[in-house]
């Protein structure tokens, strides 16, 4: 097998090896599911905030077994990271979603993730979905319906953009993910104020958080955003484990595919892309700008401090590129706000 280059991402495998990796994961999940059932874990549905258009809604959720059957913790709770991973996925299982007083059956994937599109007739603005399965509580989530009158939105990275995590150094990543209390996580200075300012001036601005984080951490991230006064919006996360093409899912591909999907779903939308210069955001956003220049209002990159860059494994060596799209750089939210105002991308009013 050819040696993997450092920048190629997760290792590609032969079909036989991929089949073995997926089979091992499925067997492990089956074993842990049986153990959880023996310990009287409860079937639980977790509904995630999501978005849609006037003719459809994207349903996001997760089917799991949990010790108490509760889908979420109180927003003020202080929870160690590892507790986000004690739930057991329910793969290829069935749930029901209620939206606009209509019920639809949906199915989870191998990781217990529900990600499907429900057709319907929806008014732009806020609505709600409800999700449940046999023997579970009903969980609800907010849905942002984006109409063609909404022409400006924000897509934001999370790690080292809104929350200081200093990833992806393996040990520190494990510490932040599994050990650190939620309340020990620090917000990036000024970013919540920047996002709040934009959404206040443009009340119809959809907010989307795009991260390589695992779906297990979705509720943790949502509580962090709420506590630190960030505007709420759907989280587009990924899942861990082998796929049909890789041993581990590629975070870069997840971001690329999510951006491409949003461009297809809302071809009239101009997005403000916000990330950091730690590793890949400039590369991914630059590719999107080159492919969809008419769908980008600007790219705002938060510059890491020297210490953060060291822990994050260095800075990106790429520079902003794109066909006439402004690239804005600053170390914090206040600096980005000032430069975005100077370029006329956000108003001073």
């Amino acid at each position: 097998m050819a040696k993997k280059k450092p920048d190629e991402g997760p290792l590609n495998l032969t079909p036989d090896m991929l089949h073995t990796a997926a089979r091992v994961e499925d067997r492990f999940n089956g074993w842990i599911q049986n153990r959880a059932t023996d310990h009287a874990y409860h079937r639980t549905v977790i509904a995630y905030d999501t978005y849609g258009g006037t003719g459809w809604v994207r349903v996001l959720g997760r089917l799991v077994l949990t010790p108490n059957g509760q889908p979420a913790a109180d927003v003020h709770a202080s929870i160690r990271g590892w507790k986000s991973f004690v739930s057991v996925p329910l793969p290829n299982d069935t749930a029901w979603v209620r939206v606009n007083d209509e019920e639809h059956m949906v199915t989870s994937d191998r990781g217990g993730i529900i990600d499907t599109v429900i057709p319907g007739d929806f008014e732009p603005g806020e609505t709600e979905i409800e999700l449940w399965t046999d023997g579970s509580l009903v969980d609800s989530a907010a849905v942002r319906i984006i109409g063609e009158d909404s022409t400006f939105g924000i897509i934001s990275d999370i790690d080292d953009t809104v929350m200081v995590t200093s990833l992806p150094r393996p040990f520190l990543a494990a510490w932040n993910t599994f050990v650190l209390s939620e309340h020990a996580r620090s917000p990036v200075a000024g970013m919540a104020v920047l996002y709040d300012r934009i959404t206040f001036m443009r009340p119809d601005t959809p907010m989307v958080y795009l991260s390589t984080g695992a779906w297990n951490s979705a509720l943790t991230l949502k509580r962090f955003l709420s506590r630190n006064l960030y505007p709420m919006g759907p989280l587009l996360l990924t899942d861990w484990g082998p796929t049909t093409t890789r041993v581990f899912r590629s975070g870069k591909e997840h971001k690329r595919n999510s951006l491409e999907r949003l461009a297809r779903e809302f071809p009239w939308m101009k997005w403000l892309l916000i990330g950091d210069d730690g590793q890949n955001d400039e590369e991914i956003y630059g590719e999107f700008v080159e492919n969809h220049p008419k769908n980008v209002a600007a790219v705002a990159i938060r510059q890491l401090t020297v210490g953060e860059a060291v822990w994050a494994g260095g800075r990106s060596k790429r520079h902003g590129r794109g066909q006439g799209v402004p690239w804005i750089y600053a170390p914090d939210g206040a600096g980005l706000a000032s430069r975005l105002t100077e370029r006329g991308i956000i108003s001073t009013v």
Side-chain angles (χ1 to χ4, degrees), residues 155-226:
I155 299 174
S156 173
D157 178 43
I158 293 179
D159 295 330
D160 292 321
T161 301
V162 303
M163 176 172 65
V164 179
T165 53
S166 301
L167 298 178
R169 286 290 289 270
F171 176 78
L172 194 60
W175 179 266
N176 282 325
T177 301
F178 295 106
V179 181
L180 200 64
S181 165
E182 289 185 19
H183 285 277
R185 299 171 188 263
S186 302
V188 174
M191 296 302 285
V193 176
L194 170 62
Y195 292 6
D196 183 68
R197 175 182 170 186
I198 296 173
T199 55
F200 175 78
M201 293 186 299
R202 297 173 178 255
D204 61 344
T205 299
M207 185 83 219
V208 178
Y209 294 95
L210 176 58
S211 172
T212 59
W215 279 111
N216 307 65
S217 62
L219 298 180
T220 298
L221 293 174
K222 182 177 179 179
R223 290 189 292 268
F224 174 88
L225 294 171
S226 176

Side-chain angles (χ1 to χ4, degrees), residues 232-285:
M232 299 310 295
L235 297 163
L236 300 184
L237 307 177
T238 187
D239 199 11
W240 289 359
T243 70
T244 57
T245 58
R246 297 177 183 271
V247 183
F248 296 103
R249 287 166 174 80
S250 167
K252 291 169 67 174
E253 287 305 308
H254 163 65
K255 284 192 170 184
R256 287 190 181 106
N257 292 338
S258 296
L259 289 168
E260 289 292 331
R261 177 169 181 166
L262 289 167
R264 291 193 306 270
E265 291 170 333
F266 308 105
W268 63 86
M269 181 73 70
K270 279 187 173 290
W271 298 100
L272 171 59
L273 307 177
I274 305 179
D276 64 82
D277 67 353
Q279 286 293 305
N280 298 314
D281 286 346
E282 288 177 289
E283 174 189 357
I284 295 167
Y285 288 167

